[in-house]
Amino acid sequence: MSTLTPADVDAVCDLVDNLCGLCWDSSKAYLIESRLANIFKRSGCANYVDFAQRVKANMLPALKSEVIDAVTTHETLWFRDNSPFEALKHKIFPEMIDAKATTALPKRFRIWSAACSTGQEPYSIAMTLADLVPDIHRWDVQIVGTDISPASVETASRGLYGEMEMGRGMDAQRLNKYFTKEGAQWKIRDEIRAMCSFSTRNLHDPFTGLGPFDVIFCRNVVIYFTAEDRKSIFTRMAQILQPNGWVLVGSSESLGDMGPKWAPQFHCRANCYRPTMAGGASLTQSQAIHTK
């Protein structure tokens, strides 16, 4: 293992911030060697400073997506943490269905899974909705999955998963209902796949062309960003929410520092927020709702 100089570490940390908005510092030096060493060796660069400069300048386009894929976290599973999907089933989706019943588009849902990794989250959302609505194929549902990693988006788009991936959170009933076996892999059925679309997107870029959404999932990703970037992302998400729309974050995350409009609601132990309550109303901390 080569010895990293302070200049190497600074250059790579700056590159990671530039490409992904991730906040790496000298304490993450071990990640440089563990995640980027093989890519660096194939680059032909003299050192990591040269490597970082050339990737940033897009002089190594074939390696740029590999760097993004290497430094981002791909930890995911079906129905991760479960509580957000219970909140969808028992609170959010039923309330949305009732609220839309008398509107011009009573069967139209728009949902965003930000940082969707290899697709398990958006497909889990689609299956939750299909479990609840038997004729979901007659509804106008668009679940948008985005991720910064091109490789992850490609996997999500294929909708093909191996036995190891299926063993992480997928129950036998849904496996048989929503998947078909193709050789050694499992393929998501067309009625679920049709509800989902996938694209590469950096959350630090403008949300042009996105929304408005009824629900946004943004879980376990902004914990790697600076406080300023985190606030910017959620502020911009609120701007592309429908009135009374929902934002769900990770089980260990809190938006308590975002102001009174971001007072939490806890449904089925999920962390839920409604920053665009109708009429501009906002909740106070004392009004946070706790639902078993």
Side-chain angles (χ1 to χ4, degrees):
M1 183 177 292
S2 61
T3 301
L4 291 169
T5 67
D8 288 329
V9 175
D10 288 346
V12 174
C13 289
D14 182 64
L15 173 66
V16 170
D17 178 52
N18 179 269
L19 294 181
C20 309
L22 300 178
C23 186
W24 279 20
D25 55 28
S26 58
S27 67
K28 298 292 192 295
Y30 70 98
L31 290 177
I32 298 175
E33 288 286 13
S34 64
R35 297 191 182 186
L36 297 178
N38 289 334
I39 302 174
F40 168 70
K41 289 175 184 176
R42 288 189 282 111
S43 72
C45 295
N47 51 59
Y48 276 98
V49 173
D50 181 36
F51 173 75
Q53 290 174 343
R54 295 181 70 183
V55 172
K56 188 186 299 185
N58 208 29
M59 295 171 65
L60 299 170
L63 299 184
K64 185 175 180 179
S65 62
E66 288 190 49
V67 172
I68 292 173
D69 194 53
V71 302
T72 50
T73 301
H74 307 289
E75 174 64 23
T76 189
L77 61 154
W78 303 101
F79 300 93
R80 183 178 183 180
D81 298 332
N82 197 48
S83 58
F85 303 98
E86 289 295 300
L88 287 180
K89 178 181 178 180
H90 296 291
K91 172 67 178 179
I92 296 172
F93 282 157
E95 185 174 294
M96 285 169 52
I97 291 170
D98 288 345
K100 288 174 177 282
T102 58
T103 67
L105 300 169
K107 295 185 176 182
R108 178 174 178 171
F109 283 174
R110 296 292 183 267
I111 302 164
W112 180 19
S113 170
C116 70
S117 188
T118 47
Q120 282 88 334
E121 180 173 272
Y123 288 137
S124 294
I125 295 170
M127 285 183 273
T128 301
L129 187 54
D131 286 343
L132 191 65
V133 182
D135 64 338
I136 194 60
H137 62 283
R138 299 180 183 276
W139 291 52
D140 178 10
V141 178
Q142 290 185 14
I143 301 169
V144 178
T146 66
D147 199 90
I148 196 171
S149 166
S152 292
V153 168
E154 183 179 349
T155 297
S157 297
R158 286 198 303 265
L160 274 170
Y161 300 94
E163 293 287 352
M164 182 179 297
E165 294 160 311
M166 297 308 298
R168 304 194 67 207
M170 179 54 61
D171 60 273
Q173 182 177 356
R174 287 195 179 102
L175 178 64
N176 293 325
K177 185 177 181 180
Y178 296 124
F179 292 83
T180 56
K181 193 71 182 294
E182 290 197 357
Q185 295 182 301
W186 291 88
K187 183 177 178 62
I188 195 83
R189 288 187 182 272
D190 289 345
E191 59 265 32
I192 299 300
R193 178 64 185 83
M195 287 189 266
C196 302
S197 64
F198 300 93
S199 63
T200 304
R201 182 175 288 268
N202 188 329
L203 293 179
H204 297 280
D205 293 338
F207 294 160
T208 306
L210 284 174
F213 293 106
D214 299 295
V215 181
I216 296 176
F217 271 57
C218 185
R219 303 191 299 150
N220 308 305
V221 59
V222 299
I223 54 176
Y224 302 105
F225 300 160
T226 65
E228 181 181 357
D229 285 339
R230 174 177 157 278
K231 288 184 178 181
S232 170
I233 287 169
F234 282 114
T235 297
R236 290 183 288 120
M237 283 184 173
Q239 294 169 355
I240 57 171
L241 267 184
Q242 292 279 20
N244 297 320
W246 298 79
V247 175
L248 285 85
V249 301
S251 58
S252 63
E253 296 178 86
S254 171
L255 304 182
D257 61 334
M258 292 286 295
K261 287 178 63 176
W262 292 87
Q265 300 186 48
F266 302 103
H267 298 290
C268 303
R269 298 181 299 280
N271 291 346
C272 311
Y273 296 86
R274 305 186 79 177
T276 57
M277 296 292 284
S282 60
L283 298 174
T284 64
Q285 186 70 33
S286 63
Q287 293 173 305
I289 300 171
H290 298 259
T291 303
K292 293 184 179 179

